Amino acid sequence: MKFQFYLRFHTRYGQSLWLSGNIDELGNNDPSKALPLEYMNDEYWSGNVEIKKKDLHKSISYKYFLKNEDGEPLYEWGNDRHIEIDNKDLSEIQLVDTWNHAGEYENTFFSDAFNKVLLKPNHTKGKTTSDKNFTHEFKVKAPLLDKHEIICLTGNGIRLGNWSETKPVLLSRDGDLPAGQAGWWKAKLDLSDADFPVAYKYGIYNTKAEKFSFYEEGDNRLIYSDADKKRVTILHDGFVHLANDTWKGAGVAIPVFSLRSKNSFGVGEFDDIKLLVDWAKSTGLKLIQLLPINDTMAAFNWMDSYPYAAVSAFALHPLYINLAKVAGKENVDLLNHLKEKQKELNDLTEVDYEEVMKSKLTSLKILYELKAINCLDSDDYKQFFKHNKHWLEPYSAFCYFRDKYQTSNFDEWKTNVVFDKSAINKLCSHKSAEYKEIGFYYFIQYHLHLQLKEAVEYAHKKGIVIKGDIPIGISRFSCDAWVAPELYNLSWQAGAPPDDFTAVGQNWGFPTYNWKKMQEGGFAWWKQRFEQMSNYFDAFRIDHILGFFRIWSIPANAVQGIMGRFVPCIPVHINEFGENGIWFDYQRYCRSFITDEVLAEVFGKLAGQVKEQFLINNEFGGYDLKIEFETQELVENYFTSIEENEENDQLKLGLFDLISNVILFEEEGSQGEEFHFRISMEKTASYRHLNPHVQEKLKALYINYFYNRQDDFWFKEAMQKLPQLKAATNMLVCGEDLGMVPHCVPDVMKQLGILSLEIQRMPKDPKKEFFHPNDAPYMSVITPSTHDMSTLRSWWEENREQTQQFYNHVLGQWGDAPFYCESWINRAIVLQHLYSPAMWSIFQLQDIFGMNETLRRENPHEERINNPANPKNYWRYRMHIPLEELIQQNEFNDELKGYVVHSGRG
């Protein structure tokens, strides 16, 4: 049987189109064996194959991809092109397709968040008026229909009703489909008697009123090919041309640990999500956004409260378990002795991480002894174990050794420093002497899974979606790094360059990803990670999406983020300095520039002590650091070993400044031929002491290095990763695109349909002091603050001059700004965000409370969750009132619901 493919696509010179599918003739989904299409004209590309009879019995699936001038493939979005051969007497199938661009707004609404939860109540199956013997099949998609609305079709010719609106052709919709497959509206019609070309148009039909509502926008569609009894033409018409930016929703963001209920244990638990869902439902909110919920137990102290340093990218944190649900009604009396402790912890203003974990783990061990046999022998548990075995066994073994040796640093373990799969299989075997201890971690993870799954299913029944968070990094001493160290660059640390909040940058301490190695394995680790997340979440936020373009990488021997550089990036070759009129001086540019003047500036009266204790004279009239203080790590280790006081702290930070007082970092292994500029070069004393002519020349090369030469390179880097990773899940994807954003980032996110993050206080336009919510793109999430920022009320008091500018020019108010953020000001800012054109407005719960004088916390400075400038931040914020009480605040809840509904988000 002949298959003739026609694809509507406008290409530019150098591009080519290819067809890949699940049969031999289309390469069996191997891109290297795909069918090349031929250019027909500016509107169409085509290709044809003869399909063997043996393949006609199965569903044939296919998709197109584009090759750019450099040969990099770009696939269309979705996996929803399927051909079922019902009639074996056909001689030809003709397919007229429309390229499905990933960035089309409508594709967003086929994500699980919309298709399975938010839009599901509107799904109407439709009433088909198809013909048994047909020559043409019409297929089109339309996700944003209201309840009782279906797609209809009318056009010229008798079978299409001669443009009749009283008796249009009604289409039926596919039912629930696997991830990545859209619900097509379909009709099979016999157009044997039609006069070609045929003009037609889709419209909306209301099944309840039983009448035609309106036509799609735009010109008529056309069918050029005629009808033949031996041929079927399938028209994949893409999306019905309807307004596609009309859906808007609002949500609340809060970490699970910050929830407070009467039944929890001094910390928010998965079970508390159900109470938050009840409140969200009552106020018209449609989404709950959480921080990462993975296990972070590494140091056995409050430092483990940092949710972005997980010891497993898959395991859930025991912090969030509800002991009573584990015990069950029949064993709840076993927890009676904890009631006093529970009340004590629940009454605290903030989370006492250490006490909560101590109590929970002790109780879990008791419950495990009692319930292990029945639990681990149940069919439901066995199904859970089978599905999660790939990460659950190594994670449980990791925890076993971590607890045994009292450290997560596997380099310090007495055994099993290097992961050995066969050894771990034996350890985790039922026959192992250690199995009982290993099973404890299985037991905990299974119950966490049950409790989170129950909370998510409850949310879905209430029409609320749950949004998770994927951290950009993993802990250096995590199960993931132990199992597959080759996937990470363990000699580098991820972080962020300097910004308005942290002048010396951020060092997160995570190893960076070995993307080349990950790509060789088809990004299997990432795909498994996304699959795990999709068990619980409908949407997710990619933390620091810029890391998929390039990551700020800091050498292992550095402490401050300012010592880093972007990886990957194109270095500056030594020849470029000469080509730009700069005499290259390795000592001057690549070594710390230390003179008496610099020492006086940095250390003041301590300069003499610094020269004597930490420096040696060099042959250039300045100083070098002694070998034992050459790196920030060595300096840090030295000062950690001596008394901590104000003077020593000043000396340490001053030495850090000396070490970072350079113009260039040499590219490792380049034999002195390639270099990277130190970020914020112009702020260094080294730069200030250069003559103006050299400063000007270096600055031009610096600007080219950071802002021009890398853009295409980083675009390609991202496009090698993000399309595959996005295609691995059907969750709604949002990117945290904040910081030093390359020019290519918005284009990549737009192409892939990834929602951006817009924050009023962090405008992406450097010429603007504030971003106005009215300017938000539709494909975005807009928020007045994040967990890394102060809340609205706290920010209002931080900078009086900035607050005044905001008051006059963003809020449009006259006169002096109030000293405190009064409730009407907080409310005005929230309303600005609700009425923005962005798809989602998401608010920290604290900013929602800020609208009400009596409900909000008295001290706004107690509301902040994290301060990135403090590497030892204790993540312990809790709601100041229980959720049960919040649900009863009818007047406030009704007020909030009114704002949400009237803004078009309810």
Side-chain angles (χ1 to χ4, degrees):
M1 183 183 295
K2 183 179 180 181
F3 279 63
Q4 183 73 45
F5 296 89
Y6 295 96
L7 176 64
R8 301 181 184 97
F9 198 97
H10 182 74
T11 52
R12 64 173 183 264
Y13 183 77
Q15 292 180 326
S16 58
L17 286 162
W18 300 73
L19 177 61
S20 181
N22 66 338
I23 55 175
D24 293 342
E25 292 81 358
L26 298 179
N28 283 313
N29 295 321
D30 181 349
S32 66
K33 298 177 182 177
L35 175 73
L37 299 185
E38 294 181 2
Y39 174 81
M40 290 182 64
N41 51 47
D42 281 350
E43 197 173 341
Y44 282 98
W45 285 66
S46 69
N48 64 81
V49 294
E50 288 285 340
I51 306 292
K52 298 170 186 173
K53 286 188 176 181
K54 70 179 181 65
D55 288 325
L56 296 180
H57 70 281
K58 65 180 181 181
S59 174
I60 298 172
S61 60
Y62 67 98
K63 69 191 309 179
Y64 298 98
F65 64 92
L66 171 77
K67 280 188 182 179
N68 282 317
E69 298 88 330
D70 55 10
E72 289 290 331
L74 176 66
Y75 284 85
E76 64 172 343
W77 184 248
N79 299 300
D80 51 23
R81 299 194 191 280
H82 301 281
I83 311 166
E84 306 287 345
I85 311 299
D86 298 323
N87 186 351
K88 300 296 189 296
D89 294 329
L90 294 174
S91 61
E92 181 180 345
I93 291 183
Q94 193 176 80
L95 298 116
V96 183
D97 293 329
T98 303
W99 174 273
N100 186 9
H101 174 48
E104 295 284 0
Y105 292 176
E106 290 93 343
N107 282 317
T108 304
F109 303 111
F110 287 111
S111 64
D112 287 348
F114 287 98
N115 205 32
K116 293 186 176 180
V117 183
L118 296 169
L119 298 179
K120 192 173 182 179
N122 293 349
H123 289 174
T124 305
K125 192 164 185 180
K127 303 176 180 180
T128 184
T129 48
S130 292
D131 300 326
K132 185 176 180 180
N133 297 310
F134 61 94
T135 61
H136 288 73
E137 181 174 10
F138 294 82
K139 300 179 78 170
V140 74
K141 291 178 278 190
L144 287 176
L145 299 179
D146 289 334
K147 195 170 182 62
H148 306 302
E149 286 185 343
I150 66 170
I151 298 300
C152 64
L153 169 67
T154 185
N156 65 287
I158 296 173
R159 187 61 189 91
L160 290 177
N162 285 316
W163 298 104
S164 168
E165 295 179 9
T166 56
K167 289 188 177 181
V169 175
L170 304 182
L171 280 67
S172 61
R173 180 185 178 276
D174 286 333
D176 293 332
L177 294 171
Q181 295 187 25
W184 291 100
W185 289 90
K186 299 187 294 188
K188 298 176 180 180
L189 304 179
D190 182 0
L191 300 184
S192 299
D193 297 329
D195 293 324
F196 287 87
V198 171
Y200 66 100
K201 210 164 193 177
Y202 294 104
I204 305 299
Y205 184 87
N206 189 296
T207 57
K208 189 174 183 180
E210 295 188 336
K211 68 175 184 178
F212 178 88
S213 298
F214 55 89
Y215 284 109
E216 65 176 333
E217 299 168 356
D219 296 333
N220 293 340
R221 300 176 188 247
L222 294 170
I223 309 172
Y224 295 102
S225 60
D226 58 3
D228 188 314
K229 292 293 185 182
K230 290 287 186 178
R231 181 180 66 222
V232 164
T233 299
I234 301 175
L235 301 154
H236 284 114
D237 273 333
F239 298 104
V240 177
H241 299 151
L242 303 172
N244 57 12
D245 60 355
T246 56
W247 193 97
K248 295 198 296 181
V252 60
I254 186 167
V256 175
F257 62 76
S258 298
L259 298 175
R260 181 187 290 270
S261 77
K262 294 177 180 177
N263 293 322
S264 56
F265 205 96
V267 69
E269 299 172 347
F270 289 149
D271 206 50
D272 294 328
I273 293 172
K274 291 187 282 187
L275 288 171
L276 185 63
V277 165
D278 289 338
W279 175 75
K281 180 70 175 176
S282 71
T283 56
L285 301 177
K286 294 185 171 77
L287 178 147
I288 291 170
Q289 178 174 313
L290 307 174
L291 291 188
I293 53 174
N294 296 102
D295 186 359
T296 60
M297 291 191 295
F300 303 99
N301 59 34
W302 66 267
M303 292 288 287
D304 293 344
S305 69
Y306 181 33
Y308 287 89
V311 297
S312 169
F314 298 89
L316 301 172
H317 203 313
L319 179 71
Y320 304 121
I321 205 163
N322 181 280
L323 295 173
K325 290 186 81 72
V326 176
K329 292 179 181 178
E330 67 279 11
N331 297 306
V332 75
D333 291 345
L334 290 174
L335 304 177
N336 285 340
H337 69 288
L338 288 174
K339 285 186 177 178
E340 189 175 329
K341 188 68 175 178
Q342 183 179 17
K343 185 179 185 309
E344 173 193 325
L345 292 171
N346 252 359
D347 288 344
L348 295 177
T349 304
E350 298 174 303
V351 176
D352 186 334
Y353 180 91
E354 293 177 16
E355 282 299 308
V356 168
M357 286 310 306
K358 181 180 174 183
S359 297
K360 288 199 172 186
L361 288 174
T362 300
S363 300
L364 284 167
K365 286 175 182 175
I366 294 170
L367 293 170
Y368 175 65
E369 288 287 340
L370 183 70
K371 304 191 69 173
I373 295 175
N374 288 339
C375 173
L376 303 187
D377 204 38
S378 68
D379 290 340
D380 191 60
Y381 164 77
K382 289 176 182 176
Q383 191 66 27
F384 164 79
F385 182 83
K386 180 181 178 182
H387 188 69
N388 295 279
K389 182 180 178 180
H390 67 94
W391 66 263
L392 187 56
E393 283 192 337
Y395 161 76
S396 300
F398 177 87
C399 291
Y400 168 77
F401 291 121
R402 176 201 62 194
D403 295 352
K404 181 178 181 179
Y405 299 121
Q406 288 296 291
T407 178
S408 63
N409 183 347
F410 43 82
D411 290 336
E412 297 178 1
W413 292 351
K414 294 178 182 177
T415 64
N416 300 89
V417 171
V418 177
F419 179 79
D420 182 327
K421 194 172 190 305
S422 62
I424 298 309
N425 287 343
K426 289 179 183 177
L427 182 77
C428 296
S429 166
H430 285 74
K431 299 176 182 178
S432 163
E434 295 84 4
Y435 178 73
K436 185 176 180 182
E437 292 170 85
I438 295 289
F440 177 58
Y441 308 104
Y442 296 165
F443 176 80
I444 293 174
Q445 288 301 311
Y446 173 60
H447 280 283
L448 284 164
H449 162 76
L450 291 178
Q451 292 183 19
L452 180 55
K453 197 74 175 171
E454 181 183 316
V456 170
E457 288 171 357
Y458 183 85
H460 289 173
K461 287 176 183 175
K462 298 280 186 174
I464 309 291
V465 296
I466 308 294
K467 180 181 176 184
D469 194 330
I470 284 215
I472 187 59
I474 58 142
S475 172
R476 178 172 299 276
F477 301 114
S478 65
C479 176
D480 304 275
W482 178 54
V483 171
E486 70 279 4
L487 297 182
Y488 314 97
N489 298 312
L490 296 171
S491 60
W492 289 92
Q493 308 169 88
D499 56 27
D500 293 339
F501 307 103
T502 50
V504 294
Q506 298 176 42
N507 183 351
W508 303 327
F510 309 139
T512 60
Y513 294 118
N514 183 345
W515 285 111
K516 186 176 180 181
K517 198 72 179 175
M518 287 182 158
Q519 191 168 11
E520 287 174 5
F523 300 108
W525 180 81
W526 279 99
K527 290 173 181 177
Q528 288 175 339
R529 193 178 183 188
F530 286 149
E531 181 186 359
Q532 178 72 2
M533 280 201 77
S534 67
N535 290 329
Y536 313 112
F537 298 109
D538 313 291
F540 69 96
R541 165 189 176 270
I542 301 179
D543 173 47
H544 194 64
I545 196 172
L546 306 184
F548 290 84
F549 294 76
R550 78 292 183 274
I551 192 75
W552 189 251
S553 302
I554 306 153
N557 62 14
V559 174
Q560 294 176 325
I562 206 163
M563 295 296 292
R565 62 180 177 85
F566 289 120
V567 176
C569 75
I570 303 169
V572 180
H573 193 274
I574 192 169
N575 294 346
E576 293 183 64
F577 293 94
E579 291 165 1
N580 286 274
I582 304 166
W583 175 258
F584 186 80
D585 185 338
Y586 185 92
Q587 170 69 26
R588 183 65 183 81
Y589 296 150
C590 300
R591 303 287 292 176
S592 296
F593 179 70
I594 308 173
T595 63
D596 286 316
E597 188 177 348
V598 171
L599 291 173
E601 181 184 323
V602 175
F603 294 100
K605 63 181 182 180
L606 296 175
Q609 179 186 340
V610 171
K611 278 194 284 187
E612 182 179 337
Q613 188 175 358
F614 301 103
L615 305 177
I616 55 173
N617 293 311
N618 64 29
E619 58 185 297
F620 305 100
Y623 305 93
D624 290 331
L625 287 142
K626 290 180 179 179
I627 193 167
E628 60 266 37
F629 302 109
E630 274 191 333
T631 70
Q632 290 187 339
E633 181 185 39
L634 290 170
V635 170
E636 174 87 354
N637 292 341
Y638 170 75
F639 282 97
T640 301
S641 67
I642 64 175
E643 180 188 354
E644 186 177 341
N645 57 45
E646 189 174 332
E647 182 176 293
N648 283 340
D649 194 48
Q650 182 184 347
L651 287 170
K652 180 180 76 170
L653 293 177
L655 290 169
F656 284 175
D657 286 346
L658 291 187
I659 292 166
S660 66
N661 187 27
V662 295
I663 303 293
L664 299 170
F665 297 132
E666 183 181 349
E667 169 73 17
E668 190 176 326
S670 72
Q671 286 81 46
E673 292 193 346
E674 294 179 339
F675 302 89
H676 301 275
F677 276 101
R678 204 216 82 168
I679 191 82
S680 304
M681 170 194 73
E682 71 282 2
K683 294 181 180 178
T684 66
S686 180
Y687 179 80
R688 292 200 307 273
H689 283 78
L690 294 169
N691 71 58
H693 173 74
V694 175
Q695 285 182 344
E696 182 184 346
K697 296 289 185 182
L698 277 173
K699 184 69 175 179
L701 199 52
Y702 172 95
I703 290 171
N704 174 272
Y705 170 82
F706 276 112
Y707 300 103
N708 298 325
R709 73 167 65 200
Q710 314 293 350
D711 218 48
D712 287 342
F713 179 57
W714 286 339
F715 176 90
K716 291 174 184 175
E717 280 291 319
M719 292 303 284
Q720 286 176 358
K721 305 162 193 164
L722 285 172
Q724 289 195 56
L725 300 183
K726 185 174 185 286
T729 174
N730 202 40
M731 292 182 283
L732 177 66
V733 186
C734 310
E736 187 234 15
D737 53 335
L738 305 177
M740 195 172 170
V741 182
H743 295 303
C744 60
V745 171
D747 185 31
V748 169
M749 293 178 69
K750 188 175 181 181
Q751 281 199 38
L752 299 179
I754 297 174
L755 275 63
S756 65
L757 179 62
E758 309 296 333
I759 300 179
Q760 198 163 30
R761 282 180 259 164
M762 295 182 69
K764 290 169 182 170
D765 183 346
K767 297 173 187 162
K768 294 183 178 178
E769 187 173 8
F770 301 104
F771 170 80
H772 201 289
N774 286 348
D775 298 327
Y778 178 64
M779 292 287 282
S780 70
V781 174
I782 188 167
T783 183
S785 65
T786 73
H787 64 274
D788 283 328
M789 302 166 68
S790 50
T791 58
L792 284 173
R793 296 169 61 214
S794 181
W795 168 74
W796 194 264
E797 300 174 27
E798 288 173 2
N799 185 324
R800 181 68 185 168
E801 184 180 340
Q802 195 176 49
T803 300
Q804 187 66 53
Q805 288 288 322
F806 184 87
Y807 185 74
N808 295 140
H809 299 293
V810 180
L811 292 182
Q813 300 294 320
W814 293 94
D816 293 336
F819 184 81
Y820 297 108
C821 183
E822 298 171 6
S823 59
W824 72 266
I825 294 173
N826 194 305
R827 186 182 307 112
I829 297 171
V830 168
L831 288 175
Q832 276 187 336
H833 287 69
L834 282 173
Y835 280 92
S836 85
M839 180 186 289
W840 285 102
S841 297
I842 299 177
F843 306 91
Q844 288 199 85
L845 185 61
Q846 305 93 298
D847 287 337
I848 294 176
F849 283 158
M851 297 192 297
N852 186 284
E853 293 282 359
T854 56
L855 190 61
R856 65 191 194 177
R857 204 182 202 119
E858 184 176 347
N859 183 357
H861 304 294
E862 295 175 353
E863 295 180 323
R864 186 160 185 167
I865 295 170
N866 178 43
N867 182 358
N870 176 14
K872 294 186 177 180
N873 183 74
Y874 192 169
W875 297 63
R876 61 191 314 197
Y877 164 75
R878 289 187 80 196
M879 295 172 60
H880 62 291
I881 61 171
L883 284 159
E884 293 92 342
E885 186 177 325
L886 178 60
I887 291 169
Q888 297 301 317
Q889 299 292 319
N890 295 331
E891 185 177 342
F892 172 74
N893 295 337
D894 288 344
E895 178 189 358
L896 176 59
K897 184 174 184 178
Y899 298 145
V900 172
V901 171
H902 288 131
S903 69
R905 296 185 180 274

